[in-house]
Amino acid sequence: MRHFRHRFGQAGNQVGCRFWDLALREHAHVNKKGLYDEALSSFFRNAVLVDMEEGVVNEILQGPLGEVFDSTQLLTDVSGSGNNWAVGHMTYGLAYREQIVDHLRKAAEHCDCLQCFFLIHSMGGGTGSGLGTRVLSLLEEEFPEVCRIVTSIYPSAEDDVITSPYNSVLAMRELTEHADCVLPVENQSLVDIVNKIKRMSHTGKPGSMIKRDSTIISGQGGLTRAEKPFDDMNNIVANLLLNITSSARFDGSLNMDLNEIAMNLVPFPRLHYLVPSLTPLYTLTDVSVPTRRLDQMFSDAFSKDHQLIRADPKHSLYLACALMVRGQVQVSDLRRNIERLKPSLPFVSWNQEGWKTGLCSVSPVGHSHSLLALANNTCVKPTFMELRERFTKLYRKKAHLHHYLHVDGMEQSCFSEAISSLSSLIEEYHHLDATKGKMMPDAPRLGIAR
Amino acid sequence: MSVVTVQLGQCGNQVGQELFDVVCTDVREGPRKTYSAASCERFFYQTTHGDLTARAVLIDMEPKVINQSMTKAAKSGRWKYGDTSHFSQKQGSGNNWANGYCVHGPRHREVVEELVRREVERCDRLSGFMAMMSVAGGTGSGVGTYVTQCLRDIYPKSFILNHLTWPYGTGEVIVQNYNSVLTLAHLYQLSDAILVHENDTVHRICSQLLKIKHISFSDVNRVIAHQLGSVLQPALTADSHGVYSRNPLGIDWQVRPPSGSERTRSVTGGSFNASVANLLVLRGKDVYSAETGGFEDPTLYTSWLSAEEAFNLWKSPVPFNKYEKSATLVSNSQALLKPLDNMVAKAWNMFASRAYIHQYVKFGISEEDFLDNFTSLEQVISSYSELC
């Protein structure tokens, strides 16, 4: 059990660790071409690591990334949050409020220009979920104009933390109210992707050998090195973050930065849950890249296998979609594929051409090109509905409630408000879904007096 | 006479760099002293070291593109940008016109005005300004509109040309239609002439005429630069008396429809686009003997203008960019009506559901402002629709 507790409480730091590791590799690979000095160094100075248990953070400090961070960027305690959102959000949230704000202000001062806050956490535990969302609302208070993008690891149904539905729903309310964008990632999807890659690497068919260093689950040393549990899953999320930030770190003919993502993908303030999907998951050794292979990459991005949550966007409704392409891919390739895929993707009537695109010249290590798709799609509705069901199962029986309610600051109303927020979010998606497939007439234009 | 160019946002800075490159390359060929001198004076000045330096101010809300453009220019070995003629920030405008126009523009007004003033003072005679920008994003469109307004305020008698790049019809930026509507409605009050390139059209040129297989934005930008260059390079005009016209921006669109007269709608609905004015630029061999009568066909023009008033012809015996003969047509006609109408229609549909409006309100553009801008553009569409 201890092992799992580390993971849920510490997911954010472990993913973060993979991110920095991979980012360093990426920049080392393009040493001369990348804006190594400026962009990268400013990136690293601006991390704040928070955990209520020292284990993972200490590990990071003792590892090869230790020199990248300094002690002013860390905030730890010893006993953990016991997988209890209330402890994370209320107890530690209040106790550490000043210190947290202090750390944040210091980190912000290092920035020539603060563009965005990036939070990484899991929803199912206590610290990431509870304290994480407290930090989120502090960020809104202290830096109201700076964009807040959150990567949230959602627990799967088979999750072994019994109270993860409580923690997740309580956290979700905070995300809906205080985040600008949320990228939900489901553990089960990560497991599925990892398994798929491992299957591929073991088939041993000629021509199907996976190139060293080219899977999105590998950290250092590729597939063969014995890696820590969850490393490969965390690598996937780290790759997601790498791709989102690539335009800020490298040149391209059509830059797409984090502010633009929030602007283009969020048509209504609360509907800011974006489904991420990544391709390729790995590259085969036969390296020639005919156009067909490139087009396949675009198709894959819209297939269920590549989504980082279990969802079916093609059969729901798109409100908006962003494509971040990396590598030697040209605007004509992008246009051709959008034209090709458009007919099979249902878009909401007022955004029939709702595509936001970015081209970054530098591809990830080991790949000639890659694609990140971020979709604002009603397919998140089933995920949220399932979460609501799991919550209700527990809440009906008042199971484990006392652990939460006896925390100072926590009341029954926190629960009822949280579930109500989730329900109305689901309703909003539902209304949009209802418009799917209906021919909406064009709004009558303004008449001009002659 | 000189033109001061202001490059705004990623597109403006990328296209601008290609334009100066095209012009510089064109000028280097052969012993055509007067042409070269006129062109150089128009677009460049010489530093004390003898470097050809563009009369340009580069503006962006993030640094990467400006750095790239300046590096590319310097690498050419033939020309460069002024070392201090640029201004950038770090955070970008997030594709938000309101952020560009209401926040970044005013915040950096003084710096930008100073940079422009320095360029203006370097000119012996200023013929006007050219602002280069896209309409889809946040900086080019929003900051670009604000800067145009500043130019208009400070230099009320100067000619201002806005070169606009319109995005692909299908999504480069989801809120591109909002940004475009806001930009165009404002520029209509501020600009003397708006020269438009549509990415879709230029893309077609690349694929169908130039037969380029993998079209990149570089290819697109080069075509745009080439077309722009062929209009702006020195030419002999009807009233320049045998020398290169001092006024490259003197496209005189000062036409006003007769007031109160009857305007009958075209019965056929127009099988081709009625023109308010056309400018034909011929360069290279045989320009003096070229037969251009077809362009003076009265049916091309709106009924309340004669072909003599509406048609302008410029010539230069000097070949442009190694093309033995070349011709460029700049047209003020109904050709842009359909794209403009489409853009307004899409923006209006989105506005009807109020999608994304909170993002603009956040920075100071209200629903009322949107309505005003829509109204302005509907009037423009209406005016062009009635040409026949």
Side-chain angles (χ1 to χ4, degrees):
Chain A
M1 270 316 280
R2 200 172 161 213
H3 171 74
F4 288 97
R5 192 174 68 182
H6 278 217
R7 172 188 160 229
F8 290 112
Q10 271 77 306
N13 281 307
Q14 289 180 328
V15 170
C17 184
R18 301 314 313 136
F19 170 71
W20 299 119
D21 180 41
L22 288 171
L24 274 173
R25 273 205 307 156
E26 216 175 62
H27 282 262
H29 192 75
V30 289
N31 204 319
K32 291 177 189 77
K33 283 196 291 175
L35 301 172
Y36 187 83
D37 294 310
E38 269 186 58
L40 183 59
S41 63
S42 72
F43 238 68
F44 278 83
R45 263 180 294 139
N46 304 323
V48 175
L49 284 69
V50 178
D51 202 357
M52 293 298 99
E53 205 175 5
E54 301 171 306
V56 173
V57 173
N58 279 340
E59 246 183 82
I60 293 176
L61 288 180
Q62 277 147 32
L65 287 178
E67 292 160 48
V68 166
F69 303 108
D70 70 44
S71 58
T72 61
Q73 293 169 275
L74 311 174
L75 190 69
T76 59
D77 201 305
V78 287
S79 22
S81 304
N83 285 327
N84 187 328
W85 184 91
V87 172
H89 196 82
M90 305 293 185
T91 314
Y92 285 123
L94 254 54
Y96 282 100
R97 191 208 158 97
E98 261 177 58
Q99 265 180 281
I100 292 172
V101 172
D102 209 47
H103 274 74
L104 292 173
R105 288 233 187 89
K106 287 221 177 74
E109 274 162 31
H110 276 136
C111 306
D112 286 326
C113 167
L114 184 52
Q115 189 188 53
C116 174
F117 284 111
F118 226 98
L119 283 84
I120 311 167
H121 73 147
S122 75
M123 302 280 278
T127 302
S129 177
L131 186 56
T133 48
R134 168 67 71 187
V135 171
L136 178 63
S137 53
L138 283 177
L139 288 175
E140 191 177 29
E141 256 178 64
E142 299 289 319
F143 308 92
E145 274 144 31
V146 182
C147 187
R148 295 167 294 283
I149 301 188
V150 188
T151 301
S152 305
I153 318 283
Y154 278 67
S156 311
E158 307 78 19
D159 199 72
D160 41 285
V161 172
I162 295 181
T163 48
S164 66
Y166 283 163
N167 295 331
S168 303
V169 172
L170 289 163
M172 258 209 75
R173 185 203 171 180
E174 304 294 311
L175 293 181
T176 302
E177 301 293 311
H178 302 298
D180 289 304
C181 270
V182 179
L183 309 175
V185 174
E186 262 185 274
N187 265 338
Q188 191 56 46
S189 302
L190 299 180
V191 169
D192 291 342
I193 289 176
V194 168
N195 288 336
K196 178 171 176 196
I197 293 175
K198 293 207 163 133
R199 263 197 316 269
M200 265 313 294
S201 69
H202 290 140
T203 54
K205 280 195 299 217
S208 72
M209 288 308 293
I210 292 186
K211 243 169 56 168
R212 265 183 86 70
D213 249 15
S214 78
T215 74
I216 66 171
I217 65 174
S218 62
Q220 303 185 321
L223 290 171
T224 51
R225 188 189 86 124
E227 303 196 312
K228 298 210 297 292
F230 305 112
D231 250 3
D232 32 24
M233 288 165 66
N234 291 336
N235 273 321
I236 298 176
V237 182
N239 271 289
L240 162 63
L241 302 180
L242 271 182
N243 280 312
I244 281 191
T245 55
S246 53
S247 230
R249 299 179 288 119
F250 298 113
D251 287 336
S253 61
L254 190 60
N255 296 333
M256 177 163 98
D257 74 27
L258 297 165
N259 285 338
E260 292 173 17
I261 292 173
M263 170 67 174
N264 282 281
L265 294 179
V266 183
F268 304 104
R270 286 154 52 89
L271 302 184
H272 56 241
Y273 292 86
L274 310 177
V275 179
S277 83
L278 283 174
T279 71
L281 299 176
Y282 52 82
T283 312
L284 300 177
T285 48
D286 47 343
V287 197
S288 68
V289 189
T291 315
R292 203 172 42 82
R293 182 72 62 80
L294 188 60
D295 287 8
Q296 185 58 45
M297 178 178 78
F298 281 88
S299 302
D300 285 343
F302 291 93
S303 96
K304 286 199 296 201
D305 293 342
H306 291 254
Q307 313 291 329
L308 300 191
I309 69 169
R310 279 183 298 178
D312 195 5
K314 269 183 160 165
H315 294 102
S316 305
L317 191 63
Y318 280 89
L319 304 185
C321 187
L323 296 175
M324 167 50 94
V325 188
R326 298 179 64 178
Q328 291 311 309
V329 182
Q330 303 306 344
V331 65
S332 51
D333 300 311
L334 195 52
R335 308 219 52 75
R336 181 181 64 251
N337 279 288
I338 291 180
E339 289 307 308
R340 189 172 61 84
L341 293 167
K342 240 176 36 162
S344 62
L345 302 173
F347 270 79
V348 71
S349 65
W350 43 260
N351 210 359
Q352 289 284 302
E353 281 137 1
W355 296 89
K356 163 69 182 161
T357 56
L359 290 167
C360 171
S361 337
V362 177
S363 58
V365 176
H367 297 275
S368 51
H369 45 262
S370 75
L371 172 62
L372 164 70
L374 287 175
N376 191 339
N377 187 304
T378 58
C379 68
V380 291
K381 192 180 72 177
T383 305
F384 296 159
M385 286 172 71
E386 248 183 57
L387 183 60
R388 181 172 60 179
E389 237 185 81
R390 276 184 264 144
F391 175 96
T392 311
K393 259 199 194 135
L394 286 179
Y395 193 59
R396 256 202 314 252
K397 300 182 283 189
K398 302 206 192 307
H400 306 282
L401 263 192
H402 56 283
H403 290 302
Y404 291 78
L405 294 176
H406 85 232
V407 172
D408 242 351
M410 196 66 185
E411 288 170 15
Q412 188 97 18
S413 59
C414 295
F415 280 86
S416 49
E417 278 165 19
I419 197 65
S420 154
S421 159
L422 182 56
S423 285
S424 67
L425 185 67
I426 292 171
E427 264 311 291
E428 285 184 56
Y429 281 111
H430 194 71
H431 279 308
L432 285 164
D433 266 338
T435 66
K436 188 178 164 209
K438 295 218 190 104
M439 281 304 297
M440 306 297 277
D442 285 340
R445 298 271 289 276
L446 294 174
I448 300 296
R450 300 265 173 270
Chain B
M1 278 179 84
S2 312
V3 174
V4 171
T5 302
V6 184
Q7 303 179 181
L8 297 134
Q10 174 162 26
C11 175
N13 280 295
Q14 282 174 189
V15 175
Q17 185 266 323
E18 294 283 359
L19 173 62
F20 283 105
D21 210 55
V22 158
V23 165
C24 189
T25 313
D26 180 42
V27 153
R28 287 198 115 214
E29 318 290 297
R32 304 168 309 170
K33 292 235 180 80
T34 19
Y35 182 82
S36 305
S39 172
C40 277
E41 220 226 310
R42 191 167 286 190
F43 294 107
F44 299 95
Y45 63 92
Q46 284 203 312
T47 60
T48 41
H49 306 290
D51 298 321
L52 217 54
T53 309
R55 298 186 191 274
V57 176
L58 295 77
I59 299 176
D60 202 354
M61 293 300 108
E62 63 111 337
K64 292 196 306 295
V65 181
I66 288 186
N67 288 340
Q68 246 192 341
S69 294
M70 293 187 66
T71 308
K72 265 174 131 186
K75 257 196 195 149
S76 74
R78 290 173 273 124
W79 68 279
K80 68 192 212 15
Y81 283 109
D83 295 326
T84 54
S85 304
H86 61 271
F87 174 74
S88 64
Q89 288 293 273
K90 299 258 169 104
Q91 75 268 59
S93 302
N95 286 167
N96 190 323
W97 191 93
N99 194 6
Y101 184 82
C102 306
V103 178
H104 290 310
R107 189 178 285 168
H108 307 299
R109 177 191 186 127
E110 275 173 39
V111 176
V112 171
E113 285 181 354
E114 175 61 21
L115 286 175
V116 172
R117 195 184 57 80
R118 273 195 239 155
E119 288 307 321
V120 170
E121 281 172 10
R122 262 193 268 269
C123 304
D124 279 334
R125 297 238 315 251
L126 178 71
S127 91
F129 298 95
M130 179 165 65
M132 301 183 69
M133 54 212 247
S134 72
V135 292
T139 299
S141 71
V143 177
T145 303
Y146 187 82
V147 168
T148 305
Q149 196 166 287
C150 293
L151 291 178
R152 182 47 80 215
D153 286 337
I154 302 178
Y155 308 95
K157 303 242 176 55
S158 291
F159 194 99
I160 299 179
L161 169 72
N162 284 79
H163 175 263
L164 303 183
T165 303
W166 285 20
Y168 288 97
T170 301
E172 286 173 33
V173 169
I174 295 177
V175 290
Q176 63 191 38
N177 297 310
Y178 280 164
N179 292 336
S180 305
V181 165
L182 293 166
T183 304
L184 288 172
H186 280 79
L187 287 183
Y188 255 88
Q189 309 302 322
L190 301 166
S191 181
D192 289 302
I194 300 175
L195 209 55
V196 175
H197 272 103
E198 297 167 81
N199 273 347
D200 278 307
T201 309
V202 180
H203 191 103
R204 260 200 308 273
I205 292 176
C206 287
S207 68
Q208 290 168 12
L209 298 182
L210 298 174
K211 308 277 190 228
I212 301 176
K213 276 183 110 179
H214 298 291
I215 301 167
S216 66
F217 270 114
S218 267
D219 298 316
V220 171
N221 293 342
R222 230 168 273 132
V223 171
I224 295 177
H226 185 93
Q227 291 194 339
L228 252 189
S230 70
V231 175
L232 297 175
Q233 281 291 60
L236 309 166
T237 67
D239 51 0
S240 67
H241 309 299
V243 297
Y244 289 114
S245 166
R246 326 263 336 256
N247 192 359
L249 296 181
I251 308 167
D252 186 14
W253 304 125
Q254 296 308 316
V255 285
R256 257 162 222 87
S259 55
S261 63
E262 292 210 344
R263 280 177 256 154
T264 53
R265 243 178 223 276
S266 161
V267 175
T268 58
S271 50
F272 49 81
N273 299 306
S275 294
V276 171
N278 283 311
L279 166 66
L280 180 65
V281 184
L282 300 176
R283 299 180 184 275
K285 202 160 161 256
D286 302 333
V287 286
Y288 297 109
S289 48
E291 175 51 58
T292 59
F295 290 90
E296 295 177 62
D297 186 342
T299 51
L300 285 175
Y301 299 95
T302 181
S303 55
W304 38 267
L305 275 177
S306 72
E308 288 81 54
E309 295 170 291
F311 176 64
N312 295 273
L313 178 60
W314 293 359
K315 301 177 188 172
S316 164
V318 178
F320 174 68
N321 259 320
K322 302 189 206 159
Y323 281 87
E324 190 187 63
K325 299 185 199 180
S326 62
T328 311
L329 181 66
V330 184
S331 198
N332 183 349
S333 72
Q334 292 176 319
L336 272 181
L337 186 52
K338 198 144 172 284
L340 181 61
D341 193 64
N342 280 342
M343 172 208 286
V344 173
K346 286 189 230 167
W348 185 247
N349 254 343
M350 193 180 268
F351 184 69
S353 60
R354 296 296 185 271
Y356 301 101
I357 298 299
H358 72 284
Q359 307 268 18
Y360 290 85
V361 170
K362 194 159 69 169
F363 291 104
I365 296 291
S366 67
E367 283 187 25
E368 292 280 295
D369 293 322
F370 268 96
L371 281 171
D372 286 340
N373 287 313
F374 275 114
T375 309
S376 304
L377 286 189
E378 293 286 6
Q379 279 168 337
V380 172
I381 290 172
S382 171
S383 305
Y384 272 95
S385 299
E386 294 182 356
L387 291 178
C388 60

